[in-house]
Amino acid sequence: MPSRRTVLAATAGVTAALATGTTAHAGSPDDKKLRALISRMSLEEKVGQLFVMRVYGHSATAPDQADIDANLKEIGVRTAAELIARYRVGGIIYFTWAHNTRDPHQIADLSNGIQKASLQQPRGLPVLISTDQEHGIVARVGRPATLFPGAMAIGAGGSRTDARTLGRIAGRELRVMGVRQDYTPVADVNVNPANPVIGVRSFGADPAAVASLVAAEVAGYQRAQQVAATAKHFPGHGDTAVDSHYGFPVITHSRAEWEKLDAPPFRAAIAAGIDSIMTAHIMVPALDDSGDPATLSRPILTGILREELGYDGVVVTDSLGMEGVRTKYGDDRVPVLALRAGADQLLNPPSLDIAWNAVLKAVRDGELTESRLDASILRVLRLKAKLRLFDEPYVSQAGVTRTVGVPEHLAAADRVAERTTTLVVNEGALLPLSRRTYPRVLVVGADPASPSGTTGPPTGVLAAALTELGFTATALSTGTAPSATTIANAVAAAQDADAVVVGTYNVTASSSQRTLVAQLLGTGKPVVAIAVRNPYDVAQLPDVRAYLASYSWTDVELRAAARVIAGRVAPRGKLPVPVQRADDPARVLYPIGHGLSY
């Protein structure tokens, strides 16, 4: 890793010049110095600072050939270093599928390589490296890093302290890997059980509770220091039945409903000092009747977020490759319109060349002023200065070893998870399950693809955890849509068990998971069901005597659920969303706050 002296030399004196004078953070540049830096940038450099781009590969200079090929196809460059040299991007986003996040030590090396490539450019600047590390079902950095329960599980625990702990530890671990902007917490209020994209990524359906936990998690990231949290997806993606990755959702809330349901978590995030806010590719006619998505809406981003809510931090778009923002305009118009609306960072356009040149042309043609770009660049540079990237752009392997996935952090995640598992049904006090009465346990059910960096599959994780707790547990995956043959095999296997644990995943009225559970109940064996994603499953399975909600199928949550099943810990979680009746969705079967214990 280059020394700090090398860094300063590589920046041709820019960082050294900026790091003088008295500022809020010793050594960090103030606005006057940042503006002077902006004034020395070429227009092309200014345009580059506005983009946050994906790039394939585990290394900034020597990725695998397959990643070189992907970069050439999608970006026209071979490596991250070439991407920076050509476009002078201000940020890079890490993805698992882009092979950026193999392991923590590799991530640190990649981050250092990216910073070196940028700082060695003329007037080189540090890069703001970001990722989506929400925890729960969305995490880009997996084991051996510490993985916490997701937002809805934290909502079930209801503890601001636990939300702060998540932010503090997650931020600390990201920081030492060189990731300095985390696209979390999700500030959407999930009031629609059919929401296909938010769901358990939300803290819940109560705006006040969501607001409280959003603010607490932001405080945790701020305690971690030098990692920016990002509240998303403004103005609120919680009441939609359309996934904006693949379609264009329309939110029909009135302005009064938006104020009551969607706005509180964003207001709380701003009050907590949130560093960045991500936009949503959704249409909200009550806030802007033009038909534009919020990402491209000046009335929403400038009129409401900037002027009404008083937010002056960084506004980052959601990915510009998502269908929700591409429905109405071409890829050349989207970045220009986002800047006109009030966005500062343009995230992951499908074609950087088209987007970058479109912004450049818009300035040269007079559609965008250079001063408009300068305003956004100043916000981005302020954030980089706050995160001390001008002073400490590099990370160390020793820091990774000391910090990532250490026993103290892993134990904290386990303790948090234990407070989230929710016991929804327990007829006849079937739970806790006695290993003396029911020594042989069959674990069946859905095995969705494991969230990044977890061991999976969930049936195997549950069976292993129950075996460690003294049961003799075997796993049999039946999938999310079990066939008649699969169901028959599960029923046959249940004959040799004393009890059955079945994991359910987004059960609907027509799901064959219902048939599986019904036939397992028909064996007469005690059946314990656990919703491994949405807690709404229980409404479709009214005959189950014992039902738990874990809100995700990550290891940490499944292990906690196993400890609850075995009686090692008492269930403490409370539903953070209401569960409506399957036969009459207007009626609530289990209200917010419902949760049993032993």
Side-chain angles (χ1 to χ4, degrees), residues 492-528:
Q495 304 301 329
D496 296 325
D498 301 304
V500 179
V501 174
V502 55
T504 68
Y505 182 93
N506 295 2
V507 180
T508 62
S510 59
S511 173
S512 58
Q513 292 180 66
R514 297 181 73 200
T515 307
L516 169 68
V517 173
Q519 293 198 21
L520 288 170
L521 288 168
T523 66
K525 305 285 185 177
V527 174
V528 177

Side-chain angles (χ1 to χ4, degrees), residues 398-431:
V400 173
T401 301
R402 284 195 306 267
T403 308
V404 177
V406 295
E408 173 193 349
H409 290 178
L410 297 173
D414 280 333
R415 288 194 300 272
V416 169
E418 285 181 352
R419 294 189 276 270
T420 68
T421 307
T422 306
L423 181 58
V424 183
V425 177
N426 193 23
E427 295 177 7
L430 175 58
L431 292 177

Side-chain angles (χ1 to χ4, degrees), residues 29 77 118 159 216 221 247 266 323 345 353 388 448 473 481 528:
V77 299
S118 186
S159 167
Y221 275 94
F266 292 101
E323 192 59 35
Q345 289 184 305
D353 193 62
R388 299 187 64 80
V528 177

Side-chain angles (χ1 to χ4, degrees), residues 199-569:
V200 294
R201 296 167 61 198
S202 163
F203 288 109
D206 176 8
V210 173
S212 176
L213 293 171
V214 164
E217 188 171 310
V218 170
Y221 275 94
Q222 289 171 335
R223 279 193 62 193
Q225 297 183 335
Q226 300 173 44
V227 172
T230 307
K232 63 186 188 186
H233 308 79
F234 188 82
H237 207 318
D239 189 7
T240 172
V242 174
D243 184 340
S244 54
H245 289 83
Y246 309 109
F248 188 16
V250 179
I251 307 292
T252 58
H253 292 176
S254 67
R255 175 64 194 244
E257 287 172 329
W258 178 81
E259 290 282 1
K260 178 182 178 183
L261 291 172
D262 302 292
F266 292 101
R267 291 184 184 275
I270 292 167
I274 190 78
D275 286 313
S276 52
I277 291 178
M278 180 179 285
T279 68
H281 303 326
I282 57 174
M283 190 199 311
V284 190
L287 305 183
D288 178 0
D289 61 5
S290 70
D292 287 343
T295 297
L296 310 183
S297 167
R298 186 169 179 83
I300 291 175
L301 297 192
T302 297
I304 295 176
L305 182 56
R306 296 282 191 213
E307 295 171 359
E308 293 184 26
L309 301 188
Y311 177 67
D312 194 38
V314 170
V315 173
V316 55
T317 71
D318 206 343
S319 170
L320 298 183
M322 292 166 59
E323 192 59 35
V325 80
R326 303 173 76 190
T327 299
K328 189 175 176 182
Y329 301 101
D331 291 338
D332 58 334
R333 295 300 298 153
V334 166
V336 175
L337 294 173
L339 291 170
R340 288 179 59 180
D344 301 308
Q345 289 184 305
L346 304 168
L347 177 61
N348 199 29
S351 168
L352 180 58
D353 193 62
I354 288 173
W356 189 89
N357 279 295
V359 174
L360 193 65
K361 182 177 186 296
V363 178
R364 287 175 173 162
D365 290 350
E367 183 181 4
L368 287 171
T369 64
E370 200 162 341
S371 63
R372 168 65 193 89
L373 268 58
D374 292 351
S376 284
I377 295 166
L378 180 59
R379 291 192 187 98
V380 172
L381 294 186
R382 277 179 185 153
L383 181 53
K384 291 181 179 182
K386 179 180 179 181
L387 299 175
R388 299 187 64 80
L389 272 166
F390 287 103
D391 310 290
E392 301 170 10
Y394 294 109
V395 293
S396 70
Q397 291 295 336
V400 173
T401 301
R402 284 195 306 267
T403 308
V404 177
V406 295
E408 173 193 349
H409 290 178
L410 297 173
D414 280 333
R415 288 194 300 272
V416 169
E418 285 181 352
R419 294 189 276 270
T420 68
T421 307
T422 306
L423 181 58
V424 183
V425 177
N426 193 23
E427 295 177 7
L430 175 58
L431 292 177
L433 211 59
S434 166
R435 63 183 181 182
R436 294 179 182 84
T437 308
Y438 307 106
R440 297 171 301 168
V441 176
L442 173 68
V443 181
V444 302
D447 270 336
S450 295
S452 296
T454 58
T455 53
T459 52
V461 174
L462 272 170
L466 289 169
T467 297
E468 288 178 12
L469 292 165
F471 296 90
T472 301
T474 55
L476 176 64
S477 175
T478 51
T480 55
S483 65
T485 300
T486 300
I487 292 170
N489 290 339
V491 169
Q495 304 301 329
D496 296 325
D498 301 304
V500 179
V501 174
V502 55
T504 68
Y505 182 93
N506 295 2
V507 180
T508 62
S510 59
S511 173
S512 58
Q513 292 180 66
R514 297 181 73 200
T515 307
L516 169 68
V517 173
Q519 293 198 21
L520 288 170
L521 288 168
T523 66
K525 305 285 185 177
V527 174
V528 177
I530 174 170
V532 299
R533 184 165 180 166
N534 292 337
Y536 312 111
D537 289 2
V538 65
Q540 298 288 349
L541 301 165
D543 297 325
V544 174
R545 290 173 50 203
Y547 216 117
L548 296 156
S550 71
Y551 308 98
S552 181
W553 60 106
T554 53
D555 299 354
V556 69
E557 289 170 276
L558 294 175
R559 289 197 306 264
R563 292 194 291 278
V564 168
I565 290 170
R568 293 294 179 93
V569 295

